[in-house]
Amino acid sequence: MPGPFSSTGTTDVVVIGAGPNGLACAARLAQKGRRVTLLEAEPEPGGGARALPDIAPGWPSPALAHLVRHIDPRVEAAMDLSRHGLDWMAADLPTTVLSPQGHLTLRGDQAEGADAAAWAALHRRLMSFAAALEPFRQMPPPRLAASGNAWGQLARNALGLRKLGATEFREFLRLILINAHDVAQDELTDPRLRAALCFDATLGAWAGPRSPNTLILYLDRLAGQIAGGKAALGLPRDGLPGLARAMARAAQASGVTLRTNARVARIEIANDRVAGLVLTDGTAISAPLVVSAIGPKPTLLNLVGPRHLDAGMTTRLRHQKSRGGAAKLHLALSDLPDFGTDPKARLILAEDEHAVETAFNPVKYGEVPDAPVMEIVLPSAFTGGQAPAAPHVLSAIVQFAPHAPRAGEDTARAAMLAACLARLERAAPGIGKLIVKADLLMPYDIERKFGMAGGNWHHGELSVEQMLFLRPLPQLSRYATPVSGLWLTGAGTHPGGMSGAAGWNAAEAILEAGA
Amino acid sequence: MTGPRFDTAPLLETPFHPRTTAANRLQNWAGWSGYRTAGCYGDSEMEHSAIRNAATLYDITPMTKYRIAGPEAEACLNRLTLRNLAKLPVGSVQYTAWTDDAGKVMDDGTLFRIGPDRFRLCCQERHLPWLLDSAQGFDVEIADETEAVAAVALQGPTSASVLTAAGFDVSALKPFRMQDYPFRDGRLLISRTGFTGDLGYELWVAPTDAVALWDHLMAQGAPFGLVPAGTEAVMLARTEAGFLTANLDFIPAQQALREDRVRSPLELGLGWMIDWDKGHFTGRRALLAERDGQLSRWAIVGLDIPGNVSAEGSVLYYGKKREAGFITAACWSPTLKRNLAIAHVAARYAACDDLWVEIYAQRELQYHKLMLPVRKTERPFFAPDRRRATPPGRF
Ligand SMILES: Cc1cc2nc3c(=O)[nH]c(=O)nc-3n(C[C@H](O)[C@H](O)[C@H](O)COP(=O)(O)OP(=O)(O)OC[C@H]3O[C@@H](n4cnc5c(N)ncnc54)[C@H](O)[C@@H]3O)c2cc1C
């Protein structure tokens, strides 16, 4: 046991982790009059949205996340992000599926090709389901076995589902737990559209399109919005670091004290209450309220530690699934690569639904796929023209990558990179010669650099059995923890993601509890 | 798959089996945690009488035993169990219990502090997964040592005399203390513990020395009336003492199928074990809420019942009408000449006023329904001074 706890600073609330959710939570609490200190381990705030080191000298830094799918409207409004510099290079990017049989471009419900009508009908239906589910994201999840439910709001949300009408409601019930592959095969014939559906349903998940319950992940994506635009894909000016900067400025304008280079080593508990925390450099900060946005697992298992928790909860936390399946590829390029299509789009490299499933198969066994599928963004395509010699960066989320490879980390990383480059060469012949530097972050690298358990996108898999009142565990689903004064937020809590919704919900729960 | 099928193969024999089978005139065996142990050697009444008037040997090898060792063993056990290990010196034994997160009892048992960082936990049920889960984050190693340690209980008023005659000086050994003695080429651990509420000891030895120990004790103990005793006699003795047994007096929380069958230590009369100030332990928050909110739903009580018909399995009524609880263990005590019972009563009937027991008494095939008033009484029912006297009495 460490010696007696004596601190060098005092504040009302400490929020740990300045990712989008930590920023949103801190800002909300500060707006409500709390003295908030936000601690971030890295030199820059932003978490998954922050800029990584420059990929090569002269080539701009990418971020882990590269597209925005959702900004919680409450966060966007209350943090006044546009005033703090959030601006969109593109607020509604098209998607182009790259295929040897010809590329296909999608914009919302508009698709090219013979399946256009089928796609439009499917998209509209799924959008209406997503819209009926969306209000559940903006509230703490309902609880089965305890009081404190917002019954009025729950009833309204449930009624919203029922208002789909008998036929659509039945269709909703049929589809809600189905897998994406079956829907793609039932409703679509064009392999490229099937690929798009299957890719988006499993992006960031540890699941292939044939894995159970994958359609609901697609609905979760469709439920997002940007500045009122539903199911939009946004690219901020300066990329995701631009969003991170705006959020950090807004939080500070609300009165949040942001301390970077401040890595929390442990949370101090005295008499079963939070007393404060200690940083890795030994600095102690006392605070009666700590909100952690770094993920339920590292917060409770590492910063708090099993000895302050019940054994059953510790076990359930250890067993909570948090496998990362997405790797992040960055290429510094001497010129814009030619994919044979307009580069000002999100490019999906997956020829059909089977390509997505096949890329997942080896990962189940800790192996690297031969032909990864990927989502590619070429940010320089949007800025091009300003500087003729603008260095080009390719940013790609590549799936699937093993989080605990059998062959060892370095071997797996090298194999994955080789597989990615081979795949890219087929899609954009000649790209190999443009590469100045290549950098690949495997899930275990992501865990190390960002602290995300297992390198998982959501700090813990977002899967049906870990959603809503099961997220991250039933006992922790209302953002409170068994340790009084300690609260959770971040992507590991309901509803997941980087929209700021989890941060906002947690702040609201704290305020409502009068904690 | 090769190897024996545990579900169809005969139960295991303990290291004492060559002797217990020779002594077992009835060949009356009962299963106990995968072992075959004597239910009754010939006459349970006589075996029980020996527990109270002479001395008995009872094979307790099947008791589940865990070895818990490592620099953080104490911290780990403090997080696991209700009592405070800081108060347990080396060479001492603690009767303790532990709960799940909801503060419901999983088992009770005895915890032996063999060294500063080495413990043995003895209990009724198997708990390795829970113990390993509880060890996460602690520098400690936990292993099942049930098969590695043979154990026999030597209980009864002449038990100290038997040990003295056998060459083991236990005159300074206080209750809940243990001591190590050389035996043959190895060691023998003797603890002053037991399950009969009487003067008695438990002897822990390597399985290879088990038969030799048995023979030595039986030879030296003969003048003191030492006989083997079976489970029936021991269970009668434990009921007289008023001790709880897992799966008889409470359902371990991890085994309960029905939501309302689980019990907290407060409900089982084990609240005295809880050290609220030692730091966190599993279940503490739930138990604190139960204590402060007065949320206990049950109370365990000792009862005196008129007559001599055992009330085993009977239901208790308030005002002869409203169901108020049930009896988990009962006997007519030959030692105390009282009709005793251990019962669970709903918390609001904990005072046992106007409480009645409905007993079905079988008399020559026919059942007679008795409705008898009960009286709350202290547990342990049987607690003679000789149980605690140090040096022990020489009977
Ligand atoms: C490969 C990959 C690609 C992704 N791409 C996208 C995408 O394009 N679009 C999208 O919407 N989402 C994407 N995501 C998901 C997105 O990154 C997360 O949902 C998001 O980052 C979660 O935000 P957060 O605020 O909850 O936590 P995080 O962004 O993880 O922020 C947590 C912060 O806590 C800090 N921290 C950790 N430990 C400590 C400590 N001990 N002390 C102090 N600070 C600490 C970290 O440095 C970090 O800044 C991607 C995820 C992955 C893995």
Side-chain angles (χ1 to χ4, degrees):
Chain A
M1 280 274 109
F5 179 64
S6 64
S7 71
T8 53
T10 304
T11 182
D12 290 349
V13 188
V14 171
V15 178
I16 310 173
N21 283 306
L23 286 161
C25 184
R28 180 61 175 167
L29 292 171
Q31 286 174 1
K32 288 290 177 174
R34 303 295 179 98
R35 269 190 311 157
V36 182
T37 302
L38 176 56
L39 301 177
E40 168 55 50
E42 297 293 325
E44 293 295 329
R50 75 165 190 263
L52 290 163
D54 289 349
I55 169 165
W59 272 264
S61 51
L64 183 66
H66 62 188
L67 287 174
V68 180
R69 294 158 186 278
H70 189 35
I71 296 187
D72 188 286
R74 297 168 300 173
V75 174
E76 196 171 8
M79 289 180 80
D80 205 354
L81 293 179
S82 55
R83 188 163 68 84
H84 293 286
L86 178 63
D87 182 17
W88 300 99
M89 240 157 13
D92 195 5
L93 275 182
T95 292
T96 299
V97 183
L98 304 178
S99 166
Q101 70 172 90
H103 304 330
L104 179 147
T105 296
L106 282 165
R107 290 169 198 274
D109 63 355
Q110 310 273 316
E112 299 168 346
D115 261 2
W119 175 261
L122 178 64
H123 185 83
R124 275 196 294 270
R125 168 170 279 162
L126 297 183
M127 283 297 284
S128 77
F129 295 168
L133 288 176
E134 208 271 338
F136 288 98
R137 300 159 64 111
Q138 295 191 21
M139 62 182 295
R143 260 202 292 211
L144 294 186
S147 55
N149 276 325
W151 288 114
Q153 196 180 348
L154 270 176
R156 272 197 304 283
N157 295 354
L159 195 67
L161 274 171
R162 193 61 191 80
K163 280 216 306 250
L164 291 168
T167 314
E168 286 304 296
F169 188 60
R170 191 181 304 121
E171 204 47 22
F172 172 81
L173 292 178
R174 184 178 75 82
L175 291 174
I176 185 75
L177 296 180
I178 206 170
N179 70 61
H181 175 93
D182 285 356
V183 176
Q185 292 218 325
D186 284 351
E187 309 288 339
L188 304 164
T189 58
D190 190 323
R192 295 164 301 180
L193 288 175
R194 289 175 171 179
L197 176 69
C198 289
F199 183 90
D200 275 348
T202 55
L203 179 63
W206 200 87
R210 288 180 196 237
S211 303
N213 316 327
T214 33
L215 190 76
I216 197 169
L217 305 179
Y218 189 76
L219 296 181
D220 188 66
R221 286 234 143 82
L222 294 185
Q225 57 175 297
I226 297 171
K230 299 279 182 194
L233 274 172
L235 183 63
R237 189 160 306 287
D238 298 332
L240 273 279
L243 170 67
R245 202 179 317 119
M247 291 190 84
R249 280 191 193 142
Q252 285 169 301
S254 304
V256 173
T257 306
L258 173 64
R259 280 175 68 173
T260 52
N261 292 310
R263 183 175 294 277
V264 178
R266 63 171 193 271
I267 293 172
E268 283 293 326
I269 291 162
N271 297 322
D272 214 21
R273 272 206 62 88
V274 161
L277 32 77
V278 179
L279 306 183
T280 44
D281 67 7
T283 311
I285 300 169
S286 65
L289 200 76
V290 170
V291 192
S292 174
I294 70 168
K297 278 186 186 231
T299 302
L300 290 168
L301 294 178
N302 305 341
L303 299 189
V304 171
R307 56 198 71 200
H308 295 288
L309 300 172
D310 289 345
M313 170 167 289
T314 311
T315 304
R316 283 190 287 271
L317 269 168
R318 286 197 295 121
H319 293 179
Q320 201 232 10
K321 289 183 287 180
S322 193
R323 296 161 295 188
K328 189 70 201 291
L329 174 70
H330 301 125
L331 299 180
L333 299 169
S334 56
D335 201 353
L336 205 58
D338 183 7
F339 286 96
T341 180
D342 180 2
K344 285 182 165 184
R346 169 176 79 127
L347 308 179
I348 292 181
L349 192 45
E351 56 273 22
D352 58 20
E353 68 277 27
H354 304 297
V356 185
E357 186 72 26
T358 310
F360 179 59
N361 286 341
V363 172
K364 295 182 218 169
Y365 311 102
E367 283 155 14
V368 167
D370 294 334
V373 291
M374 52 185 99
E375 171 185 275
I376 301 166
V377 177
L378 294 158
S380 49
F382 296 85
T383 48
Q386 298 172 359
H392 300 279
V393 170
L394 177 146
S395 167
I397 300 170
V398 291
Q399 299 211 129
F400 291 85
H403 67 288
R406 275 213 209 146
E409 296 186 351
D410 293 339
T411 309
R413 190 187 301 105
M416 188 81 190
L417 181 59
C420 288
L421 297 183
R423 187 73 193 80
L424 281 167
E425 191 64 39
R426 269 187 280 144
I431 189 172
K433 290 199 212 70
L434 307 178
I435 298 173
V436 176
K437 182 138 187 277
D439 179 55
L440 182 68
L441 295 174
M442 295 289 273
Y444 36 92
D445 301 318
I446 292 169
E447 171 159 28
R448 256 170 235 138
K449 280 197 161 58
F450 294 86
M452 300 167 169
N456 181 267
W457 186 285
H458 291 284
H459 300 176
E461 289 168 45
L462 187 70
S463 50
V464 165
E465 70 280 14
Q466 298 188 159
M467 261 184 197
L468 272 170
F469 48 82
L470 304 173
R471 185 160 192 81
L473 301 178
Q475 299 84 343
L476 298 171
S477 67
R478 303 292 282 257
Y479 309 102
T481 72
V483 179
S484 33
L486 177 65
W487 295 71
L488 296 177
T489 184
T493 62
H494 173 76
M498 69 187 305
S499 70
W504 207 261
N505 286 353
E508 293 291 315
I510 289 164
L511 294 166
E512 195 184 318
Chain B
M1 211 181 79
T2 56
R5 284 201 39 185
F6 71 89
D7 57 332
T8 52
L11 295 181
L12 297 177
E13 295 169 356
T14 81
F16 297 106
H17 192 76
R19 296 300 178 265
T20 54
T21 189
N24 197 336
R25 288 192 290 127
L26 292 174
Q27 285 296 303
N28 173 323
W29 302 103
W32 177 5
S33 294
Y35 284 94
R36 182 164 14 145
T37 54
C40 169
Y41 283 89
D43 184 334
S44 286
E45 275 81 27
M46 291 309 290
E47 290 160 28
H48 172 264
S49 175
I51 293 176
R52 293 299 179 220
N53 301 297
T56 49
L57 276 185
Y58 178 53
D59 181 359
I60 54 170
T61 305
M63 195 154 54
T64 309
K65 310 174 207 83
Y66 295 105
R67 183 193 148 92
I68 300 169
E72 292 191 308
E74 178 184 306
C76 174
L77 285 164
N78 260 337
R79 167 15 172 60
L80 173 78
T81 62
L82 300 176
R83 295 181 73 180
N84 192 346
L85 272 291
K87 295 177 180 163
L88 186 70
V90 172
S92 309
V93 186
Q94 213 175 47
Y95 171 49
T96 190
W98 58 99
T99 74
D100 62 8
D101 291 18
K104 305 303 180 195
V105 174
M106 299 178 73
D107 210 346
D108 61 351
T110 42
L111 189 53
F112 294 68
R113 188 164 209 160
I114 292 167
D117 297 334
R118 216 188 124 197
F119 297 82
R120 174 178 298 155
L121 178 64
C122 297
C123 50
Q124 183 66 24
E125 302 298 321
R126 305 261 171 197
H127 296 279
L128 194 58
W130 180 255
L131 297 184
L132 293 177
D133 285 349
S134 297
Q136 282 290 325
F138 293 89
D139 186 357
V140 62
E141 277 180 35
I142 300 183
D144 188 320
E145 59 177 9
T146 305
E147 288 181 46
V149 181
V152 65
L154 170 63
Q155 303 276 308
T158 65
S159 53
S161 302
V162 173
L163 287 174
T164 308
F168 307 115
D169 178 6
V170 291
S171 55
L173 196 59
K174 294 183 180 157
F176 286 101
R177 305 282 306 183
M178 60 184 147
Q179 205 173 313
D180 213 23
Y181 300 84
F183 179 66
R184 307 224 304 167
D185 295 336
R187 315 287 306 170
L188 169 67
L189 182 68
I190 300 182
S191 59
R192 190 166 164 186
T193 47
F195 204 50
T196 60
D198 218 309
L199 174 63
Y201 302 85
E202 287 169 331
L203 286 68
W204 315 82
V205 72
T208 44
D209 286 336
V211 166
L213 177 66
W214 183 280
D215 290 345
H216 182 58
L217 291 172
M218 287 302 283
Q220 302 302 317
F224 303 96
L226 180 65
V227 293
T231 300
E232 286 172 16
V234 171
M235 289 313 283
L236 177 56
R238 80 94 192 179
T239 306
E240 286 184 323
F243 294 158
L244 304 184
T245 306
N247 268 318
L248 292 179
D249 298 294
F250 64 90
I251 305 292
Q254 73 280 12
Q255 295 173 13
L257 300 176
R258 296 168 178 80
E259 266 189 5
D260 63 348
R261 292 303 192 270
V262 295
R263 295 288 184 272
S264 79
L266 300 169
E267 293 170 328
L268 289 180
L270 302 177
W272 60 270
M273 286 181 176
I274 302 173
D275 187 325
W276 299 101
D277 302 320
K278 68 171 175 173
H280 184 68
F281 59 89
T282 296
R284 183 178 183 276
R285 292 175 189 120
L287 290 168
L288 203 60
E290 179 181 338
R291 183 193 75 177
D292 294 348
Q294 300 193 318
L295 302 173
S296 298
R297 299 171 62 178
W298 293 92
I300 203 157
V301 292
L303 298 177
D304 249 322
I305 298 169
N308 61 5
V309 183
S310 168
E312 228 175 330
S314 299
V315 176
L316 292 164
Y317 294 89
Y318 172 71
K320 297 192 188 178
K321 280 207 182 67
R322 191 171 312 151
E323 259 187 52
F326 54 93
I327 282 166
T328 59
C331 69
W332 185 82
S333 162
T335 314
L336 297 169
K337 318 293 182 212
R338 281 159 64 190
N339 199 16
L340 299 167
I342 301 172
H344 290 225
V345 293
R348 64 176 174 286
Y349 302 117
C352 298
D353 295 333
D354 199 8
L355 218 56
W356 299 74
V357 61
E358 183 179 55
I359 301 177
Y360 291 86
Q362 202 209 50
R363 291 178 180 140
E364 292 179 304
L365 295 185
Q366 192 175 335
Y367 279 99
H368 293 255
K369 195 165 104 176
L370 311 176
M371 185 65 90
L372 302 169
V374 305
R375 198 170 50 78
K376 187 170 173 176
T377 185
E378 282 301 305
R379 274 187 311 132
F381 306 119
F382 177 68
D385 289 342
R386 66 178 183 238
R387 176 183 61 130
R388 308 201 63 88
T390 310
R394 300 188 59 82
F395 298 100

